[in-house]
Amino acid sequence: LLRQEAWEAPPVADQVVALSREHQARVGTGLGRQVQAAVETLLRGVIAHPDNAGRLLEITPDALRDLYAQSLRFLYRLLFVLYAEARNLLPVDLLTYREGYSLGRLAAFATDPRTDPRRTGETVGYFEASLRALFQLLGRRAAAGLGPEGTIPSYAGDLFAPLRRESELIDLDALAWGDRTIAEVLERLTRVPGRRGGELRVSYRELDVEQLGSITGLGCDRGQG
């Protein structure tokens, strides 16, 4: 890029930008497919979880549609947090948040063979409990004090309100999710298939709001089809 010939037509910088945008679009498309796969993973995991056997004795088509809608909101929560942490919109610089609540940290555990519950066989509920604590934190109506570290602002909004509404038949928040299911969902949201095989780590920092909207829209469209 620093050589004079690099600025001759077509400039190398322009080629780099074009390739970067092409890669970004490819990652966005791949992530859209992963979002829908994550919804299916969540639904299957919840329905198959032994702790939910007595609560899901008979799943009607209407109840399944309600559960699907709640699962989409569940995934939107995760996408929002991953994006917000990547853009430093959430306080990842605070030790308490970074080490105690961060979704990025939990996603790293999900893809590490030493801590992935799908490989270790552990079912202690750490992943599920951590995710519930994060949702509760972000649903607060007031800032959370962290002593000398400062505070975590209130991010209360409809996205982190209770998933179940009066018209819905099943309460996803009241069901067990399972550590293995959560780990699988997080892996799907942070890894996409590479162009030449293998997997690529998704950089949410490089995604813009429009791309994030198209990703979630793709998930909805494919799920409804």
Side-chain angles (χ1 to χ4, degrees), residues 116-124 180:
D116 182 351
R118 294 165 296 173
R119 301 186 182 188
T120 62
E122 296 179 1
T123 56
V124 296
R180 292 186 178 92

Side-chain angles (χ1 to χ4, degrees), residues 73-211:
R73 287 189 61 219
F74 186 99
L75 266 293
Y76 294 161
R77 288 176 172 181
L78 300 182
L79 289 170
F80 168 82
V81 175
L82 289 169
Y83 180 82
E85 289 184 356
R87 292 294 184 102
N88 291 321
L89 301 175
L90 286 171
V92 290
D93 56 323
L94 297 182
L95 180 64
T96 299
Y97 180 87
R98 185 173 63 251
E99 298 298 321
Y101 294 97
S102 170
L103 188 57
R105 181 170 179 266
L106 195 63
F109 286 164
T111 54
D112 187 331
R114 297 169 299 177
T115 52
D116 182 351
R118 294 165 296 173
R119 301 186 182 188
T120 62
E122 296 179 1
T123 56
V124 296
Y126 175 78
F127 280 73
E128 181 174 335
S130 298
L131 203 53
R132 289 185 185 276
L134 175 62
F135 288 171
Q136 183 178 13
L137 176 73
L138 297 181
R140 290 171 59 95
R141 295 293 175 183
L146 298 178
E149 283 192 77
T151 61
I152 295 179
S154 170
Y155 298 93
D158 289 342
L159 184 59
F160 292 97
L163 289 170
R164 184 179 183 276
R165 299 178 179 178
E166 292 182 0
S167 61
E168 293 167 334
L169 305 176
I170 297 177
D171 184 0
L172 180 59
D173 276 337
L175 298 175
W177 305 334
D179 277 9
R180 292 186 178 92
T181 296
I182 296 302
E184 177 72 21
V185 167
L186 290 177
E187 182 174 15
R188 289 189 180 279
L189 295 185
T190 55
R191 298 287 191 275
V192 295
R195 189 174 185 178
R196 300 178 180 177
E199 293 183 329
L200 297 174
R201 184 177 180 276
V202 178
S203 174
Y204 280 84
R205 185 177 181 82
E206 297 177 2
L207 298 176
D208 54 36
V209 175
E210 289 76 12
Q211 275 189 303

